Amino acid sequence: MGILHEPEDQHFSPALMRSTVVITGCLVMLAVLEIWVWLTLSSSFAKVSVTGSMIVTALSFFITGNTFRLRDIRRRVGNRARAGRIAPIDALSTLPPRETIARRFMLGTVGAVVGVGTLVLTMIFSGDEQQGAREAMVASVLGIVCAMLCFVGGTFARPID
């Protein structure tokens, strides 16, 4: 069926959208934004700061969104097991433990907070520069928007297991 086919027996639930398309879309969006940053910003400090912050923020938001979906799938499988539609041992053997999900969610959240914090600090400190202040501020805001879209993409992609 091609690269976009995801057999149901290999996943926790059918994908809402094809994971390859979602991940590729997030990567393309981030790459276009990074190219724009390197072409428009004049300060090398701002370029490096915004580039690193955008990558960390977008990746962390994607992981957080993906873990949110994994937690939701775990809840749905648990509800089916409690209703007697599947054996409880089968439900437990196919899903990662709650502690693993909590650690992934914490990792994504910490990375998102650090990334957004760095983008906000870049916006604040770029106001002192004579040139490129407006571009750095726009780039930081676009980086946060890109990260939010990556969160949504993470909720639509198949859980990374």
Side-chain angles (χ1 to χ4, degrees):
M1 289 209 124
I3 194 166
L4 299 178
H5 178 67
E6 296 178 350
E8 189 173 337
D9 61 345
Q10 295 179 6
H11 303 86
F12 300 125
S13 70
L16 297 175
M17 291 177 60
R18 299 296 183 225
S19 299
T20 307
V21 174
V22 172
I23 292 170
T24 303
C26 288
L27 289 174
V28 167
M29 179 177 49
L30 185 61
V32 166
L33 192 55
E34 295 294 347
I35 291 168
W36 179 79
V37 163
W38 280 88
L39 292 177
T40 59
L41 292 182
S42 57
S43 168
S44 59
F45 170 74
K47 285 180 185 179
V48 173
S49 174
V50 171
T51 298
S53 299
M54 282 183 187
I55 291 171
V56 168
T57 306
L59 182 64
S60 297
F61 268 77
F62 185 86
I63 290 170
T64 303
N66 199 256
T67 305
F68 182 78
R69 177 156 186 229
L70 183 61
R71 187 180 68 179
D72 180 55
I73 290 169
R74 182 178 169 83
R75 185 177 300 127
R76 282 188 273 140
V77 169
N79 288 341
R80 287 186 5 215
R82 283 187 286 283
R85 286 184 263 158
I86 59 173
I89 193 68
D90 292 336
L92 291 175
S93 65
T94 59
L95 295 171
R98 271 187 248 144
E99 296 81 21
T100 303
I101 294 173
R103 271 189 242 114
R104 286 182 191 176
F105 196 72
M106 185 58 69
L107 175 72
T109 303
V110 168
V113 168
V114 168
V116 169
T118 307
L119 287 172
V120 169
L121 288 174
T122 302
M123 277 192 320
I124 292 170
F125 290 123
S126 67
D128 294 339
E129 293 183 17
Q130 298 297 341
Q131 280 186 317
R134 188 178 71 121
E135 288 85 5
M137 289 179 187
V138 170
S140 295
V141 169
L142 288 176
I144 293 170
V145 170
C146 175
M148 296 298 175
L149 292 173
C150 286
F151 176 84
V152 173
T155 62
F156 278 98
R158 182 184 79 76
I160 299 169
D161 46 350

